[in-house]
Amino acid sequence: MMKELGYAVVTGASAGIGMFLAEGLAQRGYPLVLVARREERLKQLAERLKQRYNVECQVVACDVSRIEECQRLMSVIETLEVDIFINNAGFGDCSPFIKGDLQKELDMVDVNVKAVHTLTKLILQKMQKTDRGYILNIASSAGLIPAGPYMATYYATKAYVTSLTQGIAQELREAKSRIYIGCVCPGPVDTEFNAVANVEFSLPGISAEYCAQYSLKKMFQKKTVIIPTFTMKLALFGVRLLPRKWYVAITARQQKKKLNRG
């Protein structure tokens, strides 16, 4: 007799990659806990997924930039059997560091670093009780590059996510745990991120739907670092070949093209 699927929790589920991750999981029959700040959008998504895929969808309006809100989310799912937890909430900004908005940068650290760290630890402790489950952190190709001038804070936050994830993954392997953790490191993706980050990408982006479906496929294959496109894999290969200062200088030139002067 097949075991019923446990819940899949997706933060930042109201738009972009998070929305398509939720839909991809609904297609696979997972009951969902949808998390984001925008409750009305979550309710609309939940209703659509219920109608289309006949799955249970719970909505949790939550600002993960606040640690107490992360803890509240965990209390909501405390009694649920969670099979999948996806840390998708995050945002960026593009400007010279000296001119950047300090509060926006600190908020970025709260969402991209503190929330991911907190929720990863708490869900891992929950999953350890049954020694099963999937944790997927949505990072960025920025997290695999030495530094990102003109998006310095964003690159630094995503480096934290990729490093944290790979470190935990090795610990789990050495413990012979059945719990999986991995991170997704896409290049440009066509989402609301671009407007929030004040960028215009110099390279064409992939669709959020493709990124989500590819990420889920590789997650179930237990790939630790997931890079959705061959072009980005090729670009990241250069990190191994070039001196770090050269690669950072090249990145700076690319980042300047993203600055939205409009």
Side-chain angles (χ1 to χ4, degrees):
M1 184 174 178
M2 289 186 64
K3 176 188 172 299
E4 287 189 9
L5 296 174
Y7 284 81
V9 182
V10 183
T11 73
S14 61
I17 296 171
M19 181 180 70
F20 285 107
L21 286 166
E23 179 151 11
L25 291 164
Q27 288 173 338
R28 292 166 170 83
Y30 284 91
L32 295 166
V33 178
L34 305 174
V35 183
R37 290 179 302 171
R38 296 177 288 190
E39 186 173 18
E40 191 54 41
R41 279 204 185 189
L42 288 180
K43 288 180 177 178
Q44 292 171 3
L45 175 62
E47 187 58 33
R48 180 166 64 84
L49 296 180
K50 286 178 189 175
Q51 294 291 331
R52 185 172 296 181
Y53 303 108
N54 192 31
V55 294
E56 179 190 347
C57 292
Q58 297 188 29
V59 165
V60 181
C62 180
D63 181 358
V64 297
S65 70
R66 298 163 57 194
I67 298 301
E68 60 269 27
E69 285 284 273
C70 293
Q71 292 168 333
R72 181 174 68 84
L73 169 60
M74 293 306 300
S75 70
V76 170
I77 66 173
E78 182 179 4
T79 60
L80 301 180
E81 186 171 350
V82 176
D83 281 355
I84 298 170
F85 195 102
I86 301 181
N87 279 305
N88 171 71
F91 70 95
D93 192 32
C94 187
S95 70
F97 182 78
I98 198 169
K99 295 181 179 179
D101 184 299
L102 177 59
Q103 189 56 56
K104 187 173 184 180
E105 290 166 353
L106 294 177
D107 290 344
M108 198 189 312
V109 171
D110 287 340
V111 176
N112 295 8
V113 174
K114 290 184 180 179
V116 172
H117 185 111
T118 301
L119 292 171
T120 297
K121 181 177 285 288
L122 296 179
I123 195 62
L124 185 56
Q125 290 171 343
K126 176 178 173 63
M127 289 178 172
Q128 191 176 37
K129 296 173 184 177
T130 56
D131 192 31
R132 61 188 296 271
Y134 294 83
I135 303 170
L136 188 65
N137 293 329
I138 308 304
S140 168
S141 59
L144 299 174
I145 290 172
Y150 305 102
M151 291 187 77
T153 304
Y154 176 73
Y155 272 61
T157 64
K158 291 306 182 178
Y160 186 96
V161 174
T162 58
S163 177
L164 181 73
T165 302
Q166 290 176 88
I168 297 169
Q170 182 61 28
E171 290 181 15
L172 292 174
R173 282 191 289 269
E174 292 186 6
K176 295 182 168 49
S177 173
R178 294 187 297 163
I179 300 170
Y180 158 89
I181 188 168
C183 57
V184 182
C185 299
V189 181
D190 295 327
T191 68
E192 293 177 359
F193 172 95
N194 304 352
V196 174
N198 192 37
V199 300
E200 294 177 348
F201 286 110
S202 55
L203 297 173
I206 61 173
S207 73
E209 183 175 12
Y210 173 81
C211 183
Q213 291 290 3
Y214 184 90
S215 299
L216 291 176
K217 175 184 174 182
K218 293 300 180 182
M219 180 189 78
F220 286 119
Q221 293 173 357
K222 299 193 173 182
K223 176 78 171 172
T224 301
V225 179
I226 300 167
I227 304 171
T229 64
F230 176 76
T231 301
M232 192 50 59
K233 289 176 185 176
L234 192 62
L236 291 170
F237 182 73
V239 176
R240 305 178 192 177
L241 302 178
L242 294 174
R244 290 173 66 90
K245 67 177 183 179
W246 290 8
Y247 204 94
V248 171
I250 292 169
T251 304
R253 286 199 293 273
Q254 288 299 111
Q255 295 303 99
K256 283 182 180 179
K257 297 177 184 177
K258 295 180 182 180
L259 290 171
N260 185 348
R261 304 299 184 184

